[in-house]
Amino acid sequence: MKYYIGIDGGGTKTAFVCYDEANNLVASCVRPSCHILQVDDEKAVSILRSGIEELLDLAKIKGEAYICAGLAGYGKNISLRQRIENNAHCAFKGHPYILRNDGEIALAGALDGDDGILVIAGTGSIAIASKGDIAYRCGGWGYMIGDEGSAYWIAKKLLSAYTRQCDNRQPKSLLYAYLYEKWQFHDDYDVIPFVADKLQNKRDAIAGLAVCAYELAMMNDPEALHIYEEAALALAQLVNALAINFPGKVKASYAGGVWHAKDILMPMIKKHLVENIEFIDPHRLPVDGASLLAKHYFSQNRKK
């Protein structure tokens, strides 16, 4: 019996799953984040190794186990790639493995291993696609010059709307009073130390304010709804740009924290998508996608 292990090493946790050849889930476990920018190399190796050991113990595996690890940070930065590769070599000794980034496993999971497009909107934003052995990407330029439709971008729009309403550059809506009270301000200008001191101008902390935009949109605040309309258009443009590579119908799906507002975003984004795109809910979790990629890669490899 052959087994396929998937690992999703993101910023909040490291998830492990093990499937058998018949695609039955036989074991799963969770460890803390092994993100290369959050823990040192020794800790990252320890997390990966202990997760594999627990998984193998839970599954009582008697056979070959093949690993696909989708790890955040495994991208175009050469030094980060080398560190991650060194850590994987230490953690996975004795097991055949492949490395992918967290976007690739999310795409595989969302589309159940099929070709198509994934639009990721979390702290940042990017769209990726696969067509056979060809990979495409659009967006992902970073928060300083891009990342339209991301949580950080939504939060910046929200903060900007608040300041305009403070100045009466636009009429005050529910947004003004709601944020003033929620953030416990005593003066309009408290927003400046709130961002600079309390949030320390940190990208992730600012991105967390996007949940306030969602709360306001759910209360039908016009400015919050407008922000989501703009986000939907920006995300649709990412998907449409990649759809050019698919002459016929193509499936697209989504991932990332911004999609917690799916009930608002979904009807908005569908208005802007080109006709050949079928926009669907994700089939599986990213960690399941990693297992699918392990099975696909090592099944192909054995045939050669």
Side-chain angles (χ1 to χ4, degrees):
M1 176 71 76
K2 295 177 177 62
Y3 297 88
Y4 301 96
I5 293 172
I7 302 173
D8 177 14
T12 57
K13 67 181 186 301
T14 306
F16 299 78
V17 295
C18 179
Y19 283 84
D20 64 19
E21 289 178 282
N23 294 325
N24 298 307
L25 178 64
V26 294
S28 64
C29 65
V30 176
R31 283 283 185 275
S33 172
C34 65
H35 196 306
I36 198 72
L37 299 180
Q38 295 179 207
V39 299
D40 60 31
D41 293 337
E42 184 178 354
K43 183 68 173 176
V45 170
S46 173
I47 289 167
L48 291 170
R49 182 183 291 145
S50 66
I52 290 293
E53 288 173 353
E54 180 181 353
L55 201 67
L56 295 176
D57 184 56
L58 287 170
K60 296 182 171 39
I61 287 177
K62 298 196 186 325
E64 298 174 281
Y66 301 91
I67 299 170
C68 173
L71 303 177
Y74 192 64
K76 294 187 177 295
N77 185 305
I78 299 301
S79 63
L80 288 184
R81 284 180 69 93
Q82 288 175 340
R83 281 182 61 194
I84 290 170
E85 287 167 358
N86 290 338
N87 291 345
H89 176 73
C90 295
F92 304 144
K93 253 180 210 177
H95 301 289
Y97 69 89
I98 55 172
L99 295 178
R100 297 291 184 264
N101 64 49
D102 49 345
E104 290 176 281
I105 65 169
L107 173 61
L111 300 181
D112 211 17
D114 291 340
D115 287 345
I117 302 167
L118 182 74
V119 57
I120 304 171
T123 301
S125 67
I126 189 172
I128 59 176
S130 65
K131 183 181 178 186
D133 293 329
I134 305 174
Y136 305 93
R137 60 175 279 163
C138 183
W141 294 100
Y143 72 100
M144 288 294 291
I145 59 176
D147 281 357
E148 298 87 350
S150 68
Y152 179 85
W153 182 91
I154 289 170
K156 282 286 299 291
K157 290 277 185 179
L158 183 72
L159 289 164
S160 178
Y162 173 80
T163 61
R164 291 196 307 274
Q165 292 190 15
C166 287
D167 288 342
N168 293 314
R169 282 178 282 157
Q170 69 180 50
K172 285 185 172 65
S173 67
L174 174 63
L175 181 150
Y176 170 79
Y178 182 81
L179 297 181
Y180 191 96
E181 182 178 345
K182 186 177 183 69
W183 295 340
Q184 300 178 344
F185 291 166
H186 300 289
D187 182 89
D188 289 345
Y189 287 91
D190 284 349
V191 71
I192 297 174
F194 173 71
V195 174
D197 300 332
K198 185 173 183 179
L199 303 183
Q200 298 184 318
N201 285 320
K202 289 184 177 178
R203 184 171 68 112
D204 289 354
I206 292 170
L209 301 181
V211 69
C212 299
Y214 176 63
E215 292 166 355
L216 283 161
M218 290 297 289
M219 292 184 278
N220 290 317
D221 178 81
E223 185 60 28
L225 288 169
H226 177 66
I227 290 170
Y228 273 105
E229 284 281 7
E230 288 187 300
L233 175 59
L235 296 173
Q237 288 172 337
L238 295 176
V239 179
N240 291 342
L242 293 182
I244 295 170
N245 300 293
F246 298 84
K249 271 279 186 193
V250 58
K251 289 181 180 179
S253 191
Y254 57 86
V258 167
W259 291 99
H260 291 151
K262 181 184 78 168
D263 46 350
I264 292 172
L265 266 179
M266 189 69 83
M268 290 178 175
I269 195 171
K270 285 184 174 180
K271 292 188 300 186
H272 301 296
L273 294 173
V274 294
E275 290 183 0
N276 69 315
I277 295 171
E278 180 187 357
F279 203 68
I280 62 171
D281 290 331
H283 283 282
R284 300 171 183 245
L285 295 172
V287 67
D288 300 316
S291 177
L292 286 174
L293 290 176
K295 184 176 183 180
H296 174 76
Y297 178 86
F298 288 107
S299 295
Q300 294 295 317
N301 196 49
R302 284 197 302 269
K303 292 175 183 176
K304 292 180 182 179

